[in-house]
Amino acid sequence: MLRLILASLLLASALPALAGSFAGTSAGASSAGSSASSGSTSGDDKVVLQARDDAASFVASEGRIRGAQLEAALRQLRERDPAAREASDMQLAQAILAL
């Protein structure tokens, strides 16, 4: 159920280049990573992708470790998407990891 909520949040967060990769494969993380390195994503999407390591630290530390890249990605997601404003930092960090 949580996975469905996170997927919905991701799809609604204006990451069209990543939504196809996430929804279309079980290896969304590797597809998203190759998209970012190929330059096919916008600068906004790259901010979110670059926050994956920080998101992993945040989730693993139960919210105690908050990196600058994660903070930038959270801010950007919430600026672009009203649904992201309703989500917790933990939910968004987990969604970033699901990319």
Side-chain angles (χ1 to χ4, degrees):
M1 183 67 162
L2 179 60
R3 194 170 204 49
L4 180 61
I5 292 168
L6 292 175
S8 297
L9 218 143
L10 284 175
L11 293 174
S13 68
L15 297 175
L18 298 177
S21 295
F22 178 73
T25 69
S26 61
S30 60
S31 296
S34 61
S35 294
S37 63
S38 70
S40 64
T41 59
S42 73
D44 290 347
D45 296 340
K46 288 180 184 178
V47 169
V48 174
L49 287 173
Q50 290 172 346
R52 291 192 82 234
D53 286 343
D54 281 359
S57 295
F58 181 81
V59 171
S61 70
E62 298 179 349
R64 289 185 297 274
I65 298 173
R66 301 179 69 91
Q69 289 178 324
L70 176 62
E71 292 295 333
L74 295 176
R75 188 170 37 256
Q76 187 174 80
L77 288 170
R78 288 186 171 120
E79 286 172 1
R80 293 189 312 194
D81 181 28
R85 291 180 203 129
E86 302 295 321
S88 70
D89 290 352
M90 184 62 72
Q91 288 171 318
L92 291 177
Q94 290 170 336
I96 289 169
L97 288 175
L99 292 175

